[in-house]
């Protein structure tokens, strides 16, 4: 038996037989999953969840909570799973997080709560994300879902624009506090990136739907197909509401600005993923939106978005799929789990490689991609080593599709149509960091529209901060 010396409550640690090895989560084998859109990770059974939860030391000073942007009582929900009180576990989770089934799947726990887990010092940290997913799945499988208590109506009306994680969090928090909340969404379905971006094999649409249904059961009203700034301006809508929250995200794709980017067969990651996920192109012709099944596909970029595109292309039947990334594997911004999944499925990685030209055939379709090799220099502003072009290193690869996944800018419609809204040079909305308040009276903002493209949990954390400030304003006005 090992004793962890830096756990404050040494007595408790001594009493507990510490297990440093986490319970694996079953997955579809790579050779099967690379050709289907079903979820890759299959989740814990009750027995697995209880065993994994029993590894938690229930530290008196839980560092894991410090790592969670929405401050979930992590030891509290895990303790309840360990004692088979699954109802209590999901209740504890939902006190701070209205999207546990989503966060359990896509949050970068390895950089947040799990990296702080004391067990990680000598072995593997408690699988907090997997346990969160388990609790949410357990609840979804029950015939009835308990709804939390909603406070007496305040008679105040709240407008939430954008139904991604930031908007959902604001809506979820303020409805419980008794306000009347309406969420406006430009697309025909809610969920933001959770619905149009992250693929079915990582986050099934039915999971997002369940979370949205839950919000609707709490009484949140939803208006889809409504582009604020086009259908009606923010100014005009503010006449009907007491406060507004802008959670409109970062969905404007960047391109490489190289010759040939207008060729057929070249996509932005957003277009490609939207066709496949939101419009269900993978079910064409059963679904109306077609998506071409390319043979050799290059995805440019190294983040989660790039991994999602590459793995989607494989599932659509591509013979060869490459990730082309200008830095090395060490700098890869994607979650380690997603990189490993992509590699297992057969995605080929070209590190230290930069596309410089796309070459088409006589009909305007992509046929080749010209790249050069890179080497790493001194660290740049991001702290990562700067990629430097190696002269005379050009080479060509035959390719019939290229998906550009190098980043996104904030959605510009509301910033462009709202006089007085302060915007940064990068197009993000400027807010007071402690409250999310914008330069406009009665308007708050948060999520990717403020930070630029980031993560689900950071968008939720920003939503929580804004909701607190909006509630204070609404109750003191
Ligand atoms: P969004 O989710 O972008 O939602 C904004 C919503 O506002 C959209 O539905 C949009 O249609 C709507 N909208 C925009 N303009 C208007 C308007 N004028 N009127 C009405 N509605 C409007 N993060 C992770 O943590 N883990 C991951 O594994 C991960 N994978 C990702 C994979 C992909 C492919 C992508 C694209 C992103 C991924 N992210 C991941 C990032 C994460 O999804 C985002 O950081 C997060 O969704 C941001 O939330 P948000 O609410 O700010 O914006």
């Amino acid at each position: 038996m090992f004793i962890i010396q830096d756990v404050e409550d040494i007595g408790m640690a001594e009493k507990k037989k510490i297990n440093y090895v986490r319970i694996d989560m079953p997955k579809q084998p790579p050779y099967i999953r690379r050709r289907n859109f079903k979820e890759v990770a299959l989740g814990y059974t009750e027995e697995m969840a209880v065993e994994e939860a029993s590894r938690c030391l229930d530290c008196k000073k839980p560092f894991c909570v410090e790592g969670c942007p929405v401050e979930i009582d992590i030891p509290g929900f895990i303790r309840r799973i360990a004692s088979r009180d699954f109802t209590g576990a999901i209740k504890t989770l939902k006190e701070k997080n209205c999207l546990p089934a989503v966060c359990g799947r896509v949050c970068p726990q390895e950089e947040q709560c799990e990296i702080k887990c004391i067990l990680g010092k000598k072995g593997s940290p408690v699988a907090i994300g997997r346990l969160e997913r388990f609790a949410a799945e357990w609840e979804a499988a029950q015939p009835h879902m308990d709804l939390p208590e909603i406070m007496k109506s305040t008679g105040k009306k709240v407008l939430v624009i954008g139904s991604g994680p930031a908007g959902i969090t604001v809506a979820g928090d303020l409805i419980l506090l008794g306000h009347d909340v309406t969420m406006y969404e430009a697309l025909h379905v809610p969920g933001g990136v959770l619905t149009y971006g992250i693929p079915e094999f990582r986050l099934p649409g039915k999971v997002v739907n369940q979370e949205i249904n839950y919000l609707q059961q709490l009484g949140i009203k939803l208006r889809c197909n409504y582009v604020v700034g086009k259908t009606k301006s923010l100014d005009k809508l503010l006449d009907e509401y007491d406060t507004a929250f802008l959670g409109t995200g970062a969905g404007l794709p960047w391109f490489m600005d190289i010759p040939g980017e207008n060729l057929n067969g070249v996509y932005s990651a957003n277009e490609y993923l939207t066709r496949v996920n939101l419009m269900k192109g993978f079910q064409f012709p059963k679904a109306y939106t077609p998506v071409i099944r390319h043979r050799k596909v290059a995805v440019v970029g190294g983040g989660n978005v790039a991994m999602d595109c590459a793995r989607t292309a494989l599932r659509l039947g591509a013979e060869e799929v490459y990730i082309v990334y200008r830095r090395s594997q060490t700098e890869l911004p994607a979650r380690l789990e997603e990189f490993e999944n992509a590699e297992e499925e057969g995605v080929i990685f070209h590190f230290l490689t930069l596309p410089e030209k796309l070459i088409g055939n006589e009909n305007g379709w992509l046929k080749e991609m010209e790249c050069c090799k890179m080497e790493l220099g001194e660290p740049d502003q991001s702290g990562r080593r700067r990629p430097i072009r190696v002269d005379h290193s050009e080479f060509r690869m035959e390719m019939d599709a290229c998906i550009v996944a190098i980043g996104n800018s904030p959605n510009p419609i509301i910033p462009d149509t709202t006089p007085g809204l302060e915007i940064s040079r990068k197009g993000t909305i400027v807010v007071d960091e402690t409250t999310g308040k914008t330069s406009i009276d009665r308007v708050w903002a948060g999520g990717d529209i403020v930070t630029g493209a980031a993560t689900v949990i950071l968008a939720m954390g920003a939503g929580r901060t804004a909701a607190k400030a909006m509630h204070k304003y609404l109750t003191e006005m």
Side-chain angles (χ1 to χ4, degrees):
M1 183 181 118
F2 296 96
I3 308 296
I4 294 181
Q5 297 302 335
D6 43 5
V7 169
E8 245 185 21
D9 190 343
I10 293 289
M12 177 272 297
E14 277 174 349
K15 273 189 231 142
K16 197 151 183 160
K17 275 211 166 121
I18 297 169
N19 177 359
Y20 285 105
V21 184
R22 67 163 58 177
I23 304 291
D24 267 344
M25 178 152 64
K27 285 200 253 181
Q28 282 194 68
Y31 65 95
I32 293 179
R33 70 183 195 235
R34 71 196 291 272
R35 294 295 190 216
N36 73 55
F37 277 85
K38 291 190 198 130
E39 191 167 14
V40 167
L42 302 174
Y44 278 158
T45 61
E46 278 189 25
E47 293 318 312
M48 289 170 170
V50 170
E51 198 177 336
E52 179 61 23
S54 308
R55 295 176 62 227
C56 176
L57 296 177
D58 203 0
C59 305
K60 272 225 171 105
K61 192 169 174 206
F63 294 109
C64 52
V65 180
E66 288 173 16
C68 172
V70 293
E71 296 166 357
I72 293 172
D73 174 6
I74 294 170
F77 97 81
I78 292 183
R79 191 186 317 121
R80 289 177 178 90
I81 293 181
S83 61
R84 292 188 173 273
D85 172 13
F86 305 135
T87 311
I90 189 68
K91 202 165 162 229
T92 308
L93 272 164
K94 285 197 164 169
E95 280 164 11
K96 291 288 169 87
N97 183 353
C98 55
L99 296 174
V102 170
C103 291
R105 286 170 165 87
V106 304
C107 265
Q109 293 100 6
E110 64 283 1
E111 293 168 13
Q112 292 176 331
C113 50
E114 290 180 9
I115 201 173
K116 305 262 182 170
C117 174
I118 212 93
L119 286 185
K121 290 198 186 286
K122 287 195 177 170
S124 42
V126 175
I128 300 169
R130 294 174 184 179
L131 291 172
E132 183 177 23
R133 168 182 169 165
F134 165 78
E137 280 184 340
W138 178 85
E139 186 191 42
Q142 304 311 303
H144 303 292
M145 194 183 279
D146 285 340
L147 292 181
E149 206 177 307
I150 296 182
M151 286 171 71
K152 199 167 143 267
S153 168
T154 61
K156 298 287 178 353
K157 291 180 75 183
V158 177
L159 161 68
V160 173
I161 307 173
S163 64
I168 287 175
T169 305
V170 172
D173 282 6
L174 292 182
I175 196 93
L176 292 182
L177 294 166
H179 306 299
D180 177 3
V181 183
T182 309
M183 194 154 64
Y184 284 67
E185 169 55 50
L187 297 173
H188 61 286
V189 275
V193 170
L194 308 180
T195 304
Y196 78 77
I198 304 181
E200 190 73 20
F201 55 83
R202 220 154 56 81
L203 179 61
K206 82 169 193 305
V207 171
V208 182
N209 291 343
Q210 272 159 6
E211 309 264 40
I212 303 270
N213 286 345
Y214 168 75
L215 292 175
Q216 288 184 293
Q217 284 180 45
L218 295 180
I220 291 164
K221 287 168 259 176
L222 189 59
R223 290 197 69 173
C224 289
N225 293 311
Y226 199 112
V227 185
V228 177
K230 294 275 184 207
T231 318
K232 215 183 223 188
S233 69
L234 173 61
D235 276 355
K236 286 243 160 60
L237 279 170
L238 277 170
D239 293 342
E240 302 165 33
Y241 293 89
D242 295 295
T243 55
F245 174 79
L246 310 178
T248 46
L252 189 68
W254 293 347
F255 283 93
M256 298 180 284
D257 202 15
I258 60 172
E261 251 180 328
N262 285 332
L263 287 166
N264 292 321
V266 183
Y267 305 81
S268 71
N270 260 29
E271 181 196 342
Y272 192 70
L273 293 174
T274 300
R275 273 179 183 271
V276 179
N277 300 327
L278 181 71
M279 306 311 292
K280 305 283 174 231
F282 68 96
Q283 293 170 345
F284 183 80
K286 216 169 100 193
Y288 291 127
T289 303
V291 55
I292 299 172
R293 289 159 193 254
H294 295 282
R295 201 170 58 83
K296 282 188 157 199
V297 181
V299 179
V300 184
N304 290 324
V305 183
M307 301 303 139
D308 285 346
C309 292
R311 298 172 70 199
T312 297
L314 271 180
R315 284 159 174 78
L316 287 173
E319 286 165 23
E320 288 170 33
V321 178
Y322 300 90
I323 289 271
V324 178
Y325 180 54
R326 64 190 181 136
R327 301 184 201 242
S328 76
Q329 187 181 331
T330 317
E331 290 81 27
L332 205 67
R335 291 184 70 190
L336 181 63
E337 187 181 327
E338 301 313 331
F339 163 66
E340 286 171 355
N341 280 335
E343 209 175 32
E344 281 174 10
E345 289 167 13
V347 173
I348 302 157
F349 285 78
H350 276 297
F351 291 112
L352 292 166
T353 304
L354 181 74
E356 292 197 311
K357 200 194 284 179
L358 301 173
I359 300 137
N361 65 16
E362 58 287 0
N363 298 319
W365 286 87
L366 178 69
K367 70 165 191 190
E368 271 182 322
M369 186 175 183
E370 185 169 302
C371 300
C372 68
K373 296 306 288 178
M374 307 293 279
E375 59 189 13
L376 293 179
E378 293 301 307
D380 61 15
Q381 280 166 335
S382 71
R384 295 174 301 171
R385 291 178 63 194
R386 186 190 300 277
I388 301 169
R389 186 180 194 283
V390 178
D391 287 340
H392 313 297
S393 64
E394 300 84 359
F395 68 100
R396 287 188 176 190
M397 293 192 281
E398 192 197 318
M399 214 58 76
D400 60 338
C402 171
I403 303 166
V404 185
I406 57 172
N408 285 313
S409 295
N411 285 324
I413 296 178
I414 293 184
D416 286 352
T417 55
T418 311
L421 186 62
E422 192 185 342
I423 309 297
S424 74
R425 263 189 320 114
K426 291 183 175 164
T428 53
I429 296 178
V430 177
V431 297
D432 175 334
E433 269 179 31
T434 54
T435 61
K437 178 75 180 49
T438 70
S439 55
I440 296 192
D441 201 25
R442 300 190 284 135
V443 179
W444 281 257
D448 282 5
I449 187 72
V450 168
T451 53
T455 61
V456 170
I457 198 73
L458 287 176
M460 294 180 71
R464 164 115 335 121
T465 302
K468 273 187 200 154
M470 290 167 81
H471 177 61
K472 186 164 185 289
Y473 170 81
L474 289 166
T475 46
E476 289 174 2
M477 67 190 271

